[in-house]
Amino acid sequence: MIRIEVLDAEAIERGAGDLGTILLDCVEGGASVSFMEGLSSHDAEAVYRETADDVLAGHRLVLGGYIGEALRGTVQVILATPQNQPHRAELSRLLVHRSARWRGLGRALVLRAEREAAARGKTLMCLDTTSGSLAERLYAGLGYQRVGVIPGYALHPNGIPSDAVFFWKNLPAQEALPAM
């Protein structure tokens, strides 16, 4: 029932409305994912249209998580790193619509993101998330190692400061996936 796909720039453009809806739902639910209350659907869609440019340039991957035929979650892998860190990727913006949570979609998205990063030669994945969140438990359960917490690192959508916890995980070397 769950299907995870790597979205190319065209698929992101076509799905910007659905991706924007997921982002809005998560922000409205209080997720600290770079956006504040009052984010419009137009601006949420624009976020993904801009992200499509990074995908086209090879700087980022965007994965879509489907339950049946409905796009209900997404995660990004930032591949563009400094010259002295070609082995590292960053997991970013794991978003699952509140109506689709507790079905394994977030876990499936992260595991596929790890595979895709490893297939592109990445051996280290880093990320940050809100301290005390369900995502923190998810990452720890998937073998991510906690580095520490930075108090007041970001703001929740309502403006309240949020502590961030940082994680890392070594990725196993994998054979390259076929070109997309």
Side-chain angles (χ1 to χ4, degrees), residues 13-24:
E13 288 282 346
R14 282 191 315 272
D18 291 336
L19 290 162
T21 296
I22 294 166
L23 175 59
L24 276 174

Side-chain angles (χ1 to χ4, degrees), residues 90-174:
E90 184 175 333
L91 194 70
S92 179
R93 285 204 190 125
L94 173 63
L95 304 172
V96 175
H97 195 281
R98 288 178 287 175
S99 69
R101 292 185 184 164
W102 299 103
R103 298 184 195 177
L105 185 58
R107 177 182 174 81
L109 281 161
V110 172
L111 292 173
R112 178 68 183 272
E114 291 174 1
R115 253 188 61 226
E116 295 294 334
R120 287 161 178 79
K122 305 300 184 178
T123 58
L124 177 66
M125 186 80 84
C126 300
L127 64 92
D128 68 90
T129 193
T130 303
S131 183
S133 67
L134 294 175
E136 180 180 3
R137 290 191 358 223
L138 171 69
Y139 297 129
L142 289 172
Y144 282 82
Q145 302 298 308
R146 183 180 173 163
V147 175
V149 175
I150 298 178
Y153 185 77
L155 299 176
H156 285 285
N158 62 5
I160 296 173
S162 168
D163 298 348
V165 61
F166 288 76
F167 286 95
W168 66 272
K169 182 178 183 179
N170 284 323
L171 302 176
Q174 293 188 4

Side-chain angles (χ1 to χ4, degrees), residues 57-77:
H59 298 157
R60 175 182 308 253
L61 297 174
V62 174
L63 284 76
Y66 296 82
I67 296 180
E69 295 303 312
L71 181 61
R72 306 310 289 158
T74 183
V75 70
Q76 297 179 28
V77 179

